[in-house]
Amino acid sequence: MVSGIRKRNDVRLAGVLALALFFTAAVAACSGGTSWGAPPCMPPHYSVTPASAKPGDTVTVSAPDATCNPRYGANAKVAVTVTDSAGAVVLEELAPMNDAGGFRFEFDVPAASAAGAAVVTAMPHGVDWCDDTGRNNRLARSGDFDRASCAMPMQMLTITK
């Protein structure tokens, strides 16, 4: 009888230890206590200057480095798109972006752009930039990416004639 109780207690102790180890590992991973460091973060906000331009004028789309570590990599790109007031995509370009998300891209407003409110989008290219799933979607150790539905980041550009 004592032997049976001892075996049950040993099994319970092993289960408690395994559960404690699991929670310790989970807390360490969430707090950045692993060798992987802190989880990546959202891309920095970008700006469009000037706010108003006519065809042929130069416009700059830029973002500072993030204050966290988005980890985009040495060959990161940003996808910049301009959609004019008529709904036509008048510019689609990839531009260099640094590992911290900073970039500076200049373009001349295309002659065929319709006057009015245009939308400029700038998003990291080739990565799941939207981390609202609570999962770390940009680390190489994860095989499957959880895609998230997020609002498209947009800045306005007024095109004048």
Side-chain angles (χ1 to χ4, degrees), residues 53-134:
K54 63 182 186 292
D57 286 352
T58 300
V59 173
T60 301
V61 182
S62 62
D65 289 352
T67 57
C68 52
N69 185 6
R71 299 184 210 160
Y72 291 118
N75 299 315
K77 302 277 185 200
V78 60
V80 179
T81 304
V82 178
T83 305
D84 69 13
S85 63
V89 175
V90 295
L91 179 96
E92 283 184 294
E93 294 285 335
L94 291 179
M97 177 176 70
N98 67 31
D99 184 53
F103 69 91
R104 180 180 174 87
F105 173 71
E106 292 183 350
F107 69 94
D108 293 336
V109 176
S113 301
V119 174
V120 179
T121 64
M123 301 181 311
H125 175 70
V127 295
D128 184 7
W129 60 273
C130 182
D131 284 342
D132 70 348
T133 60

Side-chain angles (χ1 to χ4, degrees), residues 11-60:
V11 169
R12 286 183 187 148
L13 179 60
V16 167
L17 289 174
L19 193 58
L21 180 62
F22 171 77
F23 282 118
T24 301
V27 168
C30 290
S31 67
T34 67
S35 62
W36 300 310
C41 55
M42 296 295 282
H45 294 285
Y46 63 96
S47 63
V48 175
T49 54
S52 181
K54 63 182 186 292
D57 286 352
T58 300
V59 173
T60 301

